[in-house]
C-alpha cells in the first residue's frame, strides 16, 4: 500500500486512487486471523455492511500491484511479536 501511496502522490492529477487487494475481508475474518476472543455488538445505524476497493483502475493508472494479502500481513505481525 505504501508504494501505491507514493506512486499516487507523484501523479499530477486530481484522480482518486483506491488501494487494496481487490479482495473483500470481513471484520470477523480479521478477528479470526488474530486468534483472539471477540464479542458481537448490535448493528449501528449507518454502519457499513460491506465494502471493496475497486482497485483495477488504480493498478492500471499507477502500474501498481498489491504485494500482500491482509491476512498474510497480520500473520507476519503476529509471528514477529512471538
Amino acid at each position: 500500500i505504501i508504494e501505491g501511496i507514493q506512486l499516487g502522490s507523484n501523479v499530477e492529477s486530481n484522480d482518486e486512487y483506491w488501494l487494496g487487494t481487490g479482495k473483500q475481508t470481513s471484520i470477523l475474518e480479521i478477528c479470526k486471523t488474530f486468534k483472539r476472543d471477540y464479542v458481537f455488538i448490535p448493528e449501528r445505524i449507518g454502519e457499513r455492511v460491506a465494502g471493496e476497493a475497486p482497485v483495477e483502475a488504480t493498478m492500471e493508472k499507477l502500474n501498481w500491484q498489491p504485494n500482500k494479502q491482509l491476512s498474510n500481513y497480520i500473520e507476519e505481525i503476529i509471528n514477529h511479536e512471538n
Side-chain angles (χ1 to χ4, degrees):
I1 299 277
I2 299 300
E3 181 186 13
I5 293 170
Q6 290 171 331
L7 289 169
S9 70
N10 293 328
V11 176
E12 292 185 23
S13 72
N14 290 327
D15 291 343
E16 291 182 345
Y17 298 105
W18 291 80
L19 300 173
T21 62
K23 177 189 177 289
Q24 185 169 286
T25 305
S26 72
I27 297 299
L28 184 57
E29 288 175 282
I30 293 170
C31 290
K32 288 180 178 178
T33 303
F34 276 105
K35 298 178 177 83
R36 301 281 195 261
D37 293 335
Y38 50 88
V39 176
F40 288 100
I41 62 172
E43 185 176 334
R44 295 176 283 195
I45 296 173
E47 195 164 49
R48 188 176 202 167
V49 178
E52 183 177 330
V55 297
E56 293 79 14
T58 296
M59 291 177 180
E60 186 177 316
K61 288 179 184 178
L62 299 181
N63 192 28
W64 173 81
Q65 294 284 322
N67 58 18
K68 288 187 184 179
Q69 294 291 327
L70 180 58
S71 59
N72 297 116
Y73 183 70
I74 292 170
E75 287 172 7
E76 285 179 20
I77 291 171
I78 291 169
N79 292 333
H80 181 74
E81 289 179 351
N82 293 330

